[in-house]
Amino acid sequence: MNKIYTVYILTNYNETTFYIGVTSNLQKRIWEHKNKFAEGFTQKYQVNKLVYFETTDSVETAIKREKQLKNWHREWKINLIKEMNPDFKDLSENL
């Protein structure tokens, strides 16, 4: 069985800050963010609302995509999120 890797974007309540990460267990990782087990940036800025994710079966592809998205302009990230999630709903509720 192949592992699935997820590139995901989180934002805060006011949707002013974005965080991009990679994980092989999205449910667990989001739980960690929401329960403040993920120290650092996401905890400091209260970034725990899942607004976008995409999956791949290649860890190399996931890491490459994460780096690509981190280099994108804010407007590009917003447009990408709106393609999947136009209302910026918290997608973690349906995981």
Side-chain angles (χ1 to χ4, degrees), residues 20-35:
I20 299 168
V22 171
T23 185
S24 62
N25 186 336
L26 185 60
Q27 282 182 304
K28 179 183 176 195
R29 191 69 179 128
I30 297 305
W31 183 89
E32 291 170 350
H33 284 297
K34 287 189 177 291
N35 290 283

Side-chain angles (χ1 to χ4, degrees), residues 9 15-16 18 20 69-83 88:
I9 301 177
E15 299 167 358
T16 55
F18 293 116
I20 299 168
L69 292 178
K70 284 183 175 184
N71 286 318
W72 278 19
H73 297 286
R74 178 179 176 77
E75 183 179 335
W76 298 354
K77 293 173 192 172
I78 290 170
N79 289 337
L80 178 68
I81 294 164
K82 284 183 176 179
E83 285 177 23
F88 275 66

Side-chain angles (χ1 to χ4, degrees), residues 52-87:
Y52 178 85
F53 65 92
E54 58 188 62
T55 59
T56 179
D57 59 2
S58 163
V59 69
E60 294 85 6
T61 301
I63 292 168
K64 185 176 178 182
R65 180 66 166 157
E66 175 195 28
K67 289 179 181 178
Q68 179 188 45
L69 292 178
K70 284 183 175 184
N71 286 318
W72 278 19
H73 297 286
R74 178 179 176 77
E75 183 179 335
W76 298 354
K77 293 173 192 172
I78 290 170
N79 289 337
L80 178 68
I81 294 164
K82 284 183 176 179
E83 285 177 23
M84 173 193 237
N85 185 4
D87 298 324

